[in-house]
Amino acid sequence: MSEYKPVSASHTTLTELMIPSYSNFGGKIHGGIILGLMDKVAYVCAAKHSDGYCITASIDVVDFLAPVEVGELVSLMASVNYVGTTSMIIGIRVISENLKTQVKKHTNTSYFTMVAIGDDHKPKQVPGLILKSQDDIRRFSQGLNRKELKKAYKKEEAEIKEDYDVTACQKTLQHERCKIDLPATSSATTT
Ligand SMILES: CC(C)(COP(=O)(O)OP(=O)(O)OC[C@H]1O[C@@H](n2cnc3c(N)ncnc32)[C@H](O)[C@@H]1OP(=O)(O)O)[C@@H](O)C(=O)NCCC(=O)NCCS
């Protein structure tokens, strides 16, 4: 396995025609189909970089920016943005093209964290990344920020869970669109 690899060594594009069986009740392409393709392209990109089997550890927010129509050609471009020790952040950009008009629209962007797994079924070290452009440097640095923000968020979430106070929480919900309807005999429990 090489110690360092350039981003170009694992850049992957997956193109798929949106057929009628992929549509939802509203006639647009089901979000789950796009998510499935994103997972596939993230896997191929991560497996190319790490020369082996990978698993999806986490998926960042996926905003559906525009609907995808039946008959459009969807292209998913994936590249390794950041590598840690055993994890890789794969940036994915999804474009949908109307084949009649050639109009293209950007429908999704997301970041998948993939972890390389060795023969012992444990996370294994991945090659470092050779950054050859300003964009490579920006993406690597943003990936590092994303990883740190996630760590901080997880820590904060664990603290909130620890200090969870149902009575205080009920007060904050007073002006929300919910009704608290606990059974008379039960006391509130935390999860
Ligand atoms: C992902 C997984 C292997 C991590 O295992 P672990 O014992 O927590 O291993 P570690 O703590 O050493 O973490 C390994 C790497 O994953 C990263 N990681 C783990 N969980 C993560 C998460 N939720 N989000 C982002 N990164 C994560 C760690 O930061 C670490 O990165 P680094 O080595 O580059 O610093 C484990 O949680 C797992 O098997 N999850 C289930 C995955 C799965 O079933 N996916 C769906 C089907 S493919």
Side-chain angles (χ1 to χ4, degrees):
M1 182 177 76
S2 341
E3 257 186 74
Y4 286 85
K5 282 185 179 183
V7 176
S8 57
S10 54
H11 183 84
T12 306
T13 300
L14 177 67
T15 301
E16 181 134 343
L17 180 67
M18 295 295 107
I19 56 175
S21 63
Y22 291 173
S23 67
N24 59 24
F25 296 116
K28 311 286 180 192
I29 298 305
H30 204 283
I33 297 288
I34 305 292
L35 285 176
L37 292 172
M38 290 172 93
D39 198 41
K40 241 188 224 175
V41 78
Y43 178 85
V44 175
C45 181
K48 275 189 194 170
H49 183 76
S50 62
D51 295 319
Y53 177 62
C54 298
I55 55 169
T56 311
S58 161
I59 301 174
D60 263 28
V61 172
V62 183
D63 290 318
F64 290 93
L65 305 173
V68 178
E69 311 287 340
V70 171
E72 289 184 349
L73 196 63
V74 164
S75 298
L76 302 98
M77 274 83 62
S79 59
V80 182
N81 285 11
Y82 166 87
V83 297
T85 306
T86 64
S87 70
M88 296 153 276
I89 296 181
I90 312 295
I92 305 165
R93 184 176 170 87
V94 186
I95 302 286
S96 187
E97 179 181 358
N98 179 315
L99 291 172
K100 268 190 203 160
T101 61
Q102 280 85 51
V103 171
K104 291 182 183 173
K105 61 193 173 201
H106 172 213
T107 62
N108 309 68
T109 291
S110 188
Y111 302 91
F112 281 46
T113 302
M114 310 295 290
V115 177
I117 301 293
D119 292 338
D120 57 359
H121 307 290
K122 291 190 178 134
K124 70 162 193 186
Q125 187 169 332
V126 299
L129 207 56
I130 302 170
L131 309 176
K132 289 190 169 191
S133 68
Q134 304 270 349
D135 275 345
D136 288 354
I137 295 170
R138 174 179 54 79
R139 291 187 185 121
F140 195 94
S141 164
Q142 287 172 340
L144 177 61
N145 287 345
R146 224 168 251 122
K147 188 176 182 181
E148 280 167 0
L149 282 174
K150 192 163 199 179
K151 243 190 231 165
Y153 174 74
K154 268 193 174 172
K155 189 167 168 261
E156 202 175 304
E157 217 183 22
E159 282 166 9
I160 290 173
K161 217 169 184 181
E162 226 164 70
D163 303 337
Y164 189 74
D165 175 348
V166 181
T167 315
C169 175
Q170 286 185 35
K171 274 187 199 150
T172 63
L173 296 182
Q174 268 173 7
H175 304 294
E176 296 298 324
R177 298 200 63 237
C178 62
K179 280 185 186 176
I180 294 174
D181 183 19
L182 297 174
T185 51
S186 84
S187 57
T189 54
T190 59
T191 54

